[in-house]
Each structure stands twice: as structure tokens, then as C-alpha cells.
Amino acid sequence: MAMGKRARHGILAASLLVITASGWGPTEAAKPTKEQLAYSKQMFAEGEQAMEDGNYAEALTKFHEGYRYAPHLHVFTYNIGSAAEAAGDCRTALTYFRMFLDLVPDHPERKTVQKKHDTLAAECRFDVDSEVVNTPGEQTDRKLAREEREAIHAMNEAVIELRVAWRTYELAHRAHADVGVFGRAARRKKQGTKRMRKLAAELGVKLEAEADRKPAALGTAKEACREAERQEHRIIEAVESVLVHYDGRKAQRVAGNVLRAAERDEATFEGCR
């Protein structure tokens, strides 16, 4: 299975800037000043940009600095862990993912972080006495393993988004039978879902149990068109990620066809609203 570089990294940007009562340290004296909080947010933004640019060591430094000036924002531990993992420092990544799980009890990304933590706990190898983290060969092996996991995740996301669209458009077609675009789009998404599932099977990619993603509330025909346009955008992003990770001829052809269909449907739904 041939895989390319990942296009983007999961950073908890929105969560970082939300301060909740449970996020504070043990004493109110730990609250930062407005200037410190502003500096912390600046460090987060610079760290996020460094991640996008592939400068993981710099991102790790920025996130560490941001957390130092806003120690109540414990979701920084996820950003630090993600940057460390991308940089090949599994020990630091494991430490901060564990901190996130301990310090952020209520967060929608806990399952994702728990999975990352458990994977690193099983794979991370380092010399406790010398604190040497991974040999170059081990780092290469871990990088390949990480890229494979990301590729599998990309394929799963594409199938899930296609199936959600298929179910959503079938409901919209029944609710707004006079708008023909929903019925035609539902048939294309059904076909696209089957093609991507078949491609996954041929590539040896095991699809995970699909999340219970319910179709969005439809409302009027215009509102349904607007939601369908957003759904097509999600499909485009998911399939583009598949194209980044799988560069075989068959994968490029099948995913490319699904992508072009989604781009056409996105334009169609934009027109119907």
C-alpha cells in the first residue's frame, strides 16, 4: 500500500481557546493575567502554523511555551502530545496524552486521545536509564506505522461521509419530492459508497464499524440544499485525504471519480438553495 504525506493534523484549536471552570488548576492564584493569556494564544497560533508547515520541533516548543503561560488550559497537553508524536518523540507524546486523559475529563476527543495513548504505550520503546528516545530505525518504523493508521482512518472517513450523504439525500428526496436533485445525488452517493468499500477491500483496508451518524435535520428544501452542500464539502475533504495516502492507479481512479462527482454535486446544491 503506497501512502503519501498527511495533508493536515488534528489540533484542538476550538477547544484550546475555551476556558471552563474545570480547566483551572487547584487554586485561583494560578489564573494568568490577560497579557499572559494573550501570549499563550499567540504561541498556540504559531504552534498550529508550525504543525501545518511540518516544523514539528518548533511546534512542540511553541505549545510548551503556551502551556507554561496558561497552565490552566490543559488541552494544551493534547497539542504538545500531537507535536511530539509527529516529531518522533514517542515518550513525550505518551506522557502528554496521559496528562490530557487525567486533566481533561470531559472532552469530545477523549476516545481519539485514548486510542493514540494506547497505541503509543504498546509501540513506544526507549532506554529509561539513558533516556534515549527511539533509534533512527525505530523512528522510521513508527513513522510508517503512523502513516498507515492515517491512511486507514482516511478511507474510513470517506466511506462514512458518503454513507451519511446517501441516507440524508434519500430522506430529503422523500420530504421534497419536487426537488429532483436529491434523488439523483442519493443514487450517486450509494454508488460511491459501494465503490469505496470495494476499493478498501481490494487494498486490504479493514473498515471500522461506522459511527451512528444521523442525517441532519432537513427543514425546508432550501435548508436541505444548504446542508447537502456542506455534506458534499465534507466528502471532498475526506476523499482528498484518501488520494493523499493512496497513490496506486486503482485508488486514484476510483477515489478521483468519487471526488469529481462530489464537486459536481456541491455546485448543484449551491444552485438549488
Side-chain angles (χ1 to χ4, degrees):
M1 176 171 60
M3 294 172 285
K5 295 182 178 178
R6 189 181 183 188
R8 56 181 65 86
H9 295 267
I11 309 293
L12 301 183
S15 300
L16 176 62
L17 304 182
V18 177
I19 301 173
T20 62
S22 61
W24 292 102
T27 66
E28 289 299 311
K31 291 183 180 180
T33 64
K34 290 182 178 180
E35 291 76 12
Q36 289 173 326
L37 185 57
Y39 180 70
S40 176
K41 291 180 178 180
Q42 177 187 338
M43 288 298 98
F44 167 76
E46 292 181 8
E48 184 182 40
Q49 185 59 56
M51 287 290 286
E52 291 292 330
D53 295 340
N55 299 326
Y56 306 128
E58 179 183 348
L60 184 58
T61 299
K62 297 291 186 181
F63 290 141
H64 266 302
E65 183 77 351
Y67 191 29
R68 187 164 72 91
Y69 277 86
H72 68 293
L73 291 181
H74 297 309
V75 289
F76 254 123
T77 56
Y78 175 79
N79 299 102
I80 293 171
S82 295
E85 182 187 23
D89 185 348
C90 67
R91 186 178 189 182
T92 298
L94 182 60
T95 297
Y96 278 89
F97 284 149
R98 186 180 298 122
M99 287 174 65
F100 176 87
L101 294 170
D102 290 342
L103 297 171
V104 188
D106 298 311
H107 198 284
E109 293 294 328
R110 277 188 62 84
K111 289 185 178 179
T112 299
V113 176
Q114 185 69 64
K115 189 173 181 179
K116 285 174 174 284
H117 171 275
D118 293 347
T119 298
L120 285 174
E123 296 180 356
C124 185
R125 298 292 181 269
F126 55 88
D127 187 324
V128 176
D129 294 327
S130 65
E131 298 192 1
V132 173
V133 182
N134 290 23
T135 66
E138 289 172 335
Q139 289 187 16
T140 298
D141 291 343
R142 288 195 65 255
K143 180 181 178 182
L144 292 174
R146 183 174 67 249
E147 289 178 350
E148 184 173 2
R149 290 195 301 273
E150 291 171 353
I152 292 171
H153 177 72
M155 185 69 75
N156 273 274
E157 285 297 302
V159 172
I160 289 172
E161 293 297 350
L162 284 163
R163 186 169 182 270
V164 168
W166 168 17
R167 294 168 62 198
T168 300
Y169 302 163
E170 283 187 336
L171 290 175
H173 178 59
R174 288 197 289 269
H176 307 290
D178 56 325
V179 183
V181 64
F182 291 118
R184 293 191 294 273
R187 290 190 291 273
R188 281 192 291 272
K189 299 313 156 190
K190 180 178 181 179
Q191 185 179 53
T193 302
K194 291 181 177 179
R195 287 178 175 174
M196 292 298 288
R197 281 176 171 166
K198 183 178 179 181
L199 175 63
E202 291 178 357
L203 292 173
V205 177
K206 182 179 180 180
L207 295 177
E208 301 171 357
E210 293 176 1
D212 186 18
R213 291 268 305 280
K214 296 180 180 179
L218 299 176
T220 66
K222 286 186 177 181
E223 289 170 339
C225 284
R226 195 155 41 240
E227 174 55 34
E229 183 185 353
R230 288 192 289 265
Q231 180 61 39
E232 291 300 327
H233 184 71
R234 289 191 287 269
I235 291 172
I236 290 170
E237 287 191 332
V239 177
E240 282 179 341
S241 186
V242 170
L243 289 168
V244 167
H245 287 96
Y246 297 92
D247 56 10
R249 181 178 300 178
K250 180 67 175 292
Q252 291 287 309
R253 180 173 60 81
V254 173
N257 287 338
V258 172
L259 175 64
R260 286 187 287 275
E263 290 172 338
R264 289 194 296 270
D265 284 336
E266 182 182 35
T268 299
F269 284 123
E270 183 180 6
C272 86
R273 65 181 176 82

